[in-house]
Amino acid sequence: MSFSAEAKAELCRAPLSRRCCAAAEAYGVLLYANTFSPQEIRIITGCVEFAQRLPKLFKKAFGFGFDSVAETNGRGKSVFQITDKARISAVFERYGYEAESLLAHHVNLSILEEDCCRAAFVRGAFLAGGSITDPEKRYHLELVTDHKSVSGETFALLLELGFAPKDTVRASRYVTYFKQSEAIEDFLTTLGAPSAAMEIMSAKVEKDMRNAINRRVNCDSANADKIVSAAQAQLDRIRLLEREVGLENLPEELEKLAFLRVANPAASISDLAILSDPPTTKSCINHRLRKLMSYPIN
């Protein structure tokens, strides 16, 4: 089961205790469903839990169910239809529409005066027209509808609920979306899917941990490369001094350091400071190395 399907399955466990919230959720479903017209209401879903919830939801919201329920051929999806004119008119009237004179769908905010009803509306919209990407891959949640006004009004509704979504148009469909993990977590929690929100949090913690480890490894690797490069330059200089000057002719502290570096070609500055006899400080070793690297050659 995909992460999106798991999130929807959790949302479908929300109780249908209040008729107003059931009507609000059904409203979101209808406006983000496949067909909501004066001729037909049609909802297609591949989510088993949503398919099980729909008849109960419509019964609670309108007092009746669907005229027919069928499965698409070999696609594992269920098709819910209402074609009875009286039932369609009753649904439209419930939301303040006149079926025969409807020109374009919009969100009747008088149906969504309570915060619980607003959350239920958005839950229905997500169940019918939403999806969420596996957080192990990336963070992306979206709601998609065919209705321009509905998309804009849902966008405004989300702003009122404290969210900050973005919107776009894709293939003549209207998309409202989130790309920030924290926003998606809050969205799912508000709708009634705290477990899915926790999974996103866990995925983010794991990602951050992996990234921190990778950064540390890369940093350590870069530091190791710098140490090797610097040590090689020092060894080259020591060989040149040995040929042209003679290490025995160097000041005593530089001669000792030259032999120490040759004996420990991969040692860091800290290691050289410890290995010195007597042990000294990193700053002292750095100072002597600079003098060694700049020692004049006749």
Side-chain angles (χ1 to χ4, degrees), residues 66-124:
F66 294 90
D67 295 340
S68 65
V69 180
E71 291 187 1
T72 56
N73 295 330
R75 296 186 179 181
K77 294 186 177 182
S78 300
V79 181
F80 297 80
Q81 284 183 296
I82 298 177
T83 53
D84 180 83
K85 297 297 183 182
R87 287 186 172 184
I88 290 176
S89 294
V91 171
F92 273 75
E93 288 173 6
R94 177 67 179 82
Y95 301 118
Y97 302 149
E98 291 185 10
E100 298 304 326
S101 62
L102 181 70
L103 296 176
H105 281 296
H106 63 90
V107 179
N108 184 352
L109 294 177
S110 66
I111 306 296
L112 310 174
E113 293 183 349
E114 302 292 333
D115 284 346
C116 58
C117 292
R118 294 182 180 191
F121 171 83
V122 180
R123 179 169 60 243

Side-chain angles (χ1 to χ4, degrees), residues 220-234 261 264-271:
D220 289 346
S221 177
N223 288 337
D225 290 342
K226 289 179 181 178
I227 291 171
V228 170
S229 178
Q232 186 59 54
Q234 292 157 12
R261 168 51 87 195
N264 302 276
S268 66
I269 302 298
S270 297
D271 294 335

Side-chain angles (χ1 to χ4, degrees), residues 182-209:
E182 294 85 356
I184 296 173
E185 292 161 14
D186 292 343
F187 181 89
L188 291 173
T189 300
T190 299
L191 268 58
S195 295
M198 284 297 298
E199 284 193 45
I200 295 175
M201 293 179 196
S202 297
K204 184 181 179 183
V205 169
E206 290 180 11
K207 277 186 184 179
D208 290 345
M209 187 177 297

Side-chain angles (χ1 to χ4, degrees), residues 26-41:
Y27 197 18
V29 169
L30 290 164
L31 291 176
Y32 280 79
N34 302 82
T35 304
F36 181 28
S37 73
Q39 293 74 41
E40 178 191 20
I41 291 172

